[in-house]
Amino acid sequence: MALTSEQMEQAASFMMELLRELAWIGAESAANAATADPLGTAAAQLSAAAAEAAGGAGSAQAPGQAASAAAGAAAGAAAGAAAVPPTAAGAEAVPPAAAGAGAVPPAASGAASAVEASGTPHAPQGLIGPAGALGVTRLLYDDAWLQAQRLLERRLAAAGLEPRFDRAGSLFGRLPGTDGGSRVVLTGSHIDTVRRGGHYDGAYGVAAGIAALAALKRFCGAPRRTLEVVSLCEEEGSRFPLSYWGSGTMVGRYGLEGASFYRDPDGETLEQAMLAAGFGRPEQPHPRRDDLDAFVELHVEQGIVLERSGEPIGVVQAIVGQRRYTFTVAGEANHAGTTPMPLRRDALAGAAEMALAAERAAVRRGEPMVATVGRLETEPGTPNVVPGRVRFTLDVRHDEAEALESFCRELLEELDGIAARRGLELQGELWMDAPPARMDAELADRLVRAAGRRGLAVRRMASGAGHDAQLLSEICPAAMLFVPSRAGISHSPLEFTEEAQLAGGLAVLIDALYELAYEERVP
């Protein structure tokens, strides 16, 4: 094993400090939620999720624990708790680490102490950010996203891990090897979030990767093969109609020249947002990579399999394929009181039937097929007007490419039939098409052995969520490690994983990176 138990504890403390710092950046306060959600549904949804978690968490969660966490969050929200750290706002809002370059900072310093001083509940409730926050929102190139990347840039420099951004805005930290070659072993994940998401999705893999390289540098010196950690600029698809902008530019799926074609809901193009954040400039390194020997991504499971099975580590064998569509249903807006039901061309009624058709089709196909209508917008959105236009999204996933293709083809034919029968016009745009990906078998076996040496039981499994490892597997051997998610909850303020489980995943990652870069046992 690469590190002693004491050294591993120091690495885990540094990782948790980074996670606590990131939890402040982009935290949604009660005031923010009220502005974005004037009907107050966010708090209600949080309470409902808490009740469901408390009822379905099983033996891994004490009765009422998730409910008490949400009660604390709701109380803070009702009191108008500000979701900002108790330091000055702006780029330096998160306190700098006390330790110098190359050191692994102690967990008690910086943002950790700030969180403790604020009275925020800690691990049992899963709230490592500000009290009363309704999740965290860091969208590609927004202010919170930029603040998070700049924070991590400072942490990398302090740890002696040469920081650099690529032209798309992904941040890398480098620990040069002694072999004189140009090949790289990479770890990390993404820094962006969904709207009002949790504290661990993506951020855990970034924080763990930085802590792993900092610890290896401090305790083991320089590796033979170069190690890098990446905080990928985007994975979620929460702002612009595309996903995996970070890893996608690395593998050549996206070209920077196409950034002007994507717009966010406010009409700003991806190119405009990228330039405003300080990226997209020709003097910056191009994101395309051809020097990677391996990529290992550590992530929370975002499902309930590991919690139910009682195994602390998951090793991913395959990642599902995904297709995401945006549909526009056009009917005729008309008076709600004077338009007879048989004469209506109600776009919302048509869209609702389409959403139910997608659900029925997925149920008929059976597991692991899933189909989700996650967003629906109506026009004109007035109570006394028959909706004339509706936009909705459709997310379809399966781990076999042929099954994914046939399902989507048949469902689109059914949606066309619904539109024709109702006298509606239907237009669809496929804006994401990620095929299923198999992880490298040899790398997966090494992760299983590394976990075994630490006495950690392992489950080999598929991932129902998409990940950057899916794309990077196109250019190098890739593997994924999972740790449990309490009650299977993710993309939610209630997302939570025990610190001991986070530390277990970090230990396996460090041992795997040591084998790959210090012993040069690359597939």
Side-chain angles (χ1 to χ4, degrees):
M1 293 183 285
L3 304 184
T4 67
S5 296
E6 181 179 353
Q7 291 168 344
M8 200 66 76
E9 287 176 4
Q10 293 184 49
S13 294
F14 183 27
M15 173 188 70
M16 290 308 303
E17 179 178 357
L18 288 172
L19 279 173
R20 290 187 177 104
E21 290 180 314
L22 289 170
W24 286 97
I25 302 177
E28 290 272 3
S29 69
N32 292 341
T35 301
D37 188 11
L39 298 181
T41 56
Q45 290 170 349
L46 182 61
S47 298
E52 182 178 350
S59 59
Q61 182 170 349
Q65 201 167 63
S68 65
V84 294
T87 52
E92 299 296 329
V94 181
V104 179
S109 66
S113 59
V115 171
E116 290 161 5
S118 74
T120 301
H122 272 194
Q125 287 76 31
L127 299 178
I128 62 173
L134 299 177
V136 61
T137 300
R138 289 191 297 268
L139 307 183
L140 177 64
Y141 302 138
D142 74 4
D143 291 342
W145 175 94
L146 184 59
Q147 186 180 340
Q149 289 290 66
R150 292 301 183 187
L151 163 73
L152 295 176
E153 181 186 26
R154 296 193 298 273
R155 295 295 174 266
L156 288 167
L161 303 173
E162 304 169 3
R164 70 172 179 87
F165 284 98
D166 69 16
R167 202 176 302 173
S170 293
L171 171 64
F172 296 82
R174 186 177 179 90
L175 180 56
T178 60
D179 65 359
S182 60
R183 308 300 296 176
V184 172
V185 173
L186 180 67
T187 189
S189 194
H190 60 95
I191 196 61
D192 70 313
T193 71
V194 298
R195 295 179 186 274
R196 296 180 192 153
H199 296 130
Y200 304 93
D201 178 6
Y204 169 50
V206 173
I210 294 173
L213 266 63
L216 287 168
K217 174 180 170 61
R218 181 182 181 189
F219 299 120
C220 303
R224 294 178 182 175
R225 191 178 302 267
T226 294
L227 278 168
E228 288 188 12
V229 57
V230 62
S231 176
L232 288 159
C233 61
E234 195 275 342
E235 185 252 19
E236 297 285 5
S238 297
R239 181 177 180 184
F240 295 94
L242 82 171
S243 299
Y244 308 110
W245 177 245
S247 56
T249 55
M250 290 176 64
V251 305
R253 176 169 294 190
Y254 297 123
L256 296 174
E257 65 279 0
S260 62
F261 296 105
Y262 301 98
R263 291 183 181 273
D264 69 9
D266 296 324
E268 185 173 13
T269 68
L270 177 58
E271 181 181 43
Q272 289 169 335
M274 180 167 55
L275 291 171
F279 300 100
R281 301 196 303 267
E283 66 271 19
Q284 294 169 323
H286 196 280
R288 186 71 185 267
R289 299 291 294 264
D290 60 3
D291 59 343
L292 301 182
D293 272 340
F295 175 64
V296 181
E297 184 173 9
L298 177 57
H299 209 280
V300 292
E301 181 196 348
Q302 302 180 279
I304 202 168
V305 173
L306 290 177
E307 183 179 86
R308 290 281 174 86
S309 70
E311 290 148 321
I313 297 292
V315 173
V316 176
Q317 306 293 96
I319 301 175
V320 296
Q322 297 183 55
R323 290 192 179 184
R324 294 187 192 175
Y325 299 84
T326 297
F327 290 98
T328 301
V329 183
E332 182 179 61
N334 214 330
H335 196 291
T338 62
T339 309
M341 298 301 290
L343 300 182
R344 296 185 178 203
R345 297 174 56 222
D346 187 331
L348 179 55
E353 185 177 350
M354 293 174 191
L356 290 172
E359 180 187 43
R360 286 193 300 268
V363 171
R364 283 197 304 268
R365 283 292 185 108
E367 294 183 356
M369 178 67 72
V370 292
T372 304
V373 173
R375 186 173 187 174
L376 189 147
E377 302 167 346
T378 65
E379 296 178 16
T382 304
N384 60 348
V385 177
V386 176
R389 183 179 297 271
V390 171
R391 284 168 54 88
F392 69 91
T393 61
L394 175 66
D395 178 308
V396 183
R397 307 186 188 204
H398 198 280
D399 63 1
E400 295 181 4
E402 184 176 344
L404 185 63
E405 164 65 29
S406 64
F407 177 87
C408 291
R409 183 179 63 252
E410 293 170 11
L411 178 59
L412 265 57
E413 291 175 357
E414 185 174 358
L415 300 189
D416 284 335
I418 293 171
R421 174 166 47 81
R422 287 179 168 269
L424 304 171
E425 296 178 7
L426 177 66
Q427 292 183 333
E429 176 190 4
L430 174 64
W431 56 269
M432 176 181 165
D433 186 4
R438 296 285 169 185
M439 296 293 94
D440 184 81
E442 185 178 344
L443 265 184
D445 288 343
R446 292 187 184 189
L447 295 178
V448 171
R449 292 193 294 269
R453 289 192 293 268
R454 291 279 173 184
L456 298 171
V458 174
R459 183 181 186 89
R460 294 179 184 264
M461 59 191 300
S463 172
H467 295 286
D468 291 297
Q470 189 169 0
L471 274 71
L472 289 169
S473 68
E474 298 174 10
I475 61 171
C476 69
M480 282 203 76
L481 279 167
F482 279 168
V483 295
S485 295
R486 173 174 289 175
I489 294 174
S490 186
H491 286 182
S492 161
L494 292 178
E495 181 179 86
F496 178 64
T497 299
E498 297 281 353
E499 286 192 27
Q501 295 170 328
L502 298 172
L506 173 64
V508 177
L509 176 66
I510 288 176
D511 289 346
L513 294 178
Y514 184 87
E515 184 176 319
L516 291 169
Y518 287 79
E519 298 178 350
E520 289 197 294
R521 293 163 65 185
V522 176

